[in-house]
């Protein structure tokens, strides 16, 4: 317990820290994709309502060419943010695999280091008898 409380992190926290070290700002990017994409969608729906009002004759002060361009920009932005978000989420699956590999590699290295320390302790306890004699034959 003493060794556990000294420096060990919760595995979930450790995994999230490793994830952040591999792909910094990923959570912020995903948030921005959602926020900006939903803002563009809201703008597109408002513009679409204005176009619908102009087409029904309720509004006569609307330039339809400008409104169509605005619709294309708004829904184009929604599409771009959706594609970027999808790409980032797909990369997140690869990222989770990398994190698991990194955690496993760390565990494997810890086992190897422990084995090497045990071997060094065994070797340090060996008695060595070294004798030097002069060879007069040569």
């Amino acid at each position: 317990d003493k060794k556990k409380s000294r420096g060990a992190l919760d595995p979930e926290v450790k995994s999230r820290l490793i994830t952040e070290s591999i792909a910094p700002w990923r959570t912020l990017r995903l948030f921005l994709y959602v926020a900006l994409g939903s803002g563009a969608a809201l703008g597109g729906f408002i513009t679409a309502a204005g176009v619908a009002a102009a087409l029904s004759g309720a509004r006569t002060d609307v330039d339809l060419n400008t409104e169509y361009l605005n619709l294309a920009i708004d829904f184009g932005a929604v599409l771009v943010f959706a594609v970027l978000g999808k790409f980032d989420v797909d990369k997140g699956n690869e990222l989770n695999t990398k994190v698991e590999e990194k955690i496993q590699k760390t565990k494997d290295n810890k086992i190897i280091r422990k084995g090497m320390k045990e071997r060094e302790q065994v070797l340090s306890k060996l008695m060595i008898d070294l004798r030097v004699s002069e060879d007069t034959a040569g």
Side-chain angles (χ1 to χ4, degrees):
D1 279 344
K2 188 176 183 181
K3 193 173 187 180
K4 183 85 170 165
S5 65
R6 184 176 62 164
L9 289 174
D10 179 37
E12 178 65 27
V13 172
K14 187 174 184 176
S15 178
R16 287 180 24 211
L17 287 172
I18 291 172
T19 300
E20 185 66 22
S21 73
I22 294 173
W25 307 106
R26 181 173 180 268
T27 305
L28 178 64
R29 280 195 317 267
L30 290 173
F31 171 77
L32 288 175
Y33 295 150
V34 170
L36 296 173
S38 49
L42 181 62
F45 292 136
I46 292 170
T47 304
V51 168
L55 290 175
S56 69
R59 288 187 61 189
T60 58
D61 62 334
V62 176
D63 179 16
L64 286 178
N65 289 331
T66 303
E67 294 301 309
Y68 289 144
L69 177 63
N70 289 340
L71 276 174
I73 290 170
D74 286 336
F75 290 117
V78 170
L79 179 67
V80 167
F81 289 125
V83 168
L84 288 173
K86 172 82 169 103
F87 178 73
D88 211 336
V89 167
D90 289 345
K91 285 293 184 180
N93 295 335
E94 291 178 26
L95 179 64
N96 291 336
T97 304
K98 285 182 183 179
V99 168
E100 291 302 319
E101 288 173 359
K102 192 168 188 172
I103 290 173
Q104 187 59 43
K105 186 176 179 181
T106 302
K107 288 178 183 178
D108 293 344
N109 285 341
K110 189 174 182 178
I111 292 170
I112 291 170
R113 282 192 308 269
K114 183 179 178 185
M116 290 176 70
K117 283 183 181 181
E118 289 173 357
R119 190 183 90 191
E120 287 174 2
Q121 287 177 352
V122 169
L123 289 175
S124 70
K125 293 177 183 176
L126 289 177
M127 297 299 293
I128 298 176
D129 186 17
L130 187 64
R131 293 184 186 160
V132 179
S133 65
E134 290 186 28
D135 187 17
T136 59

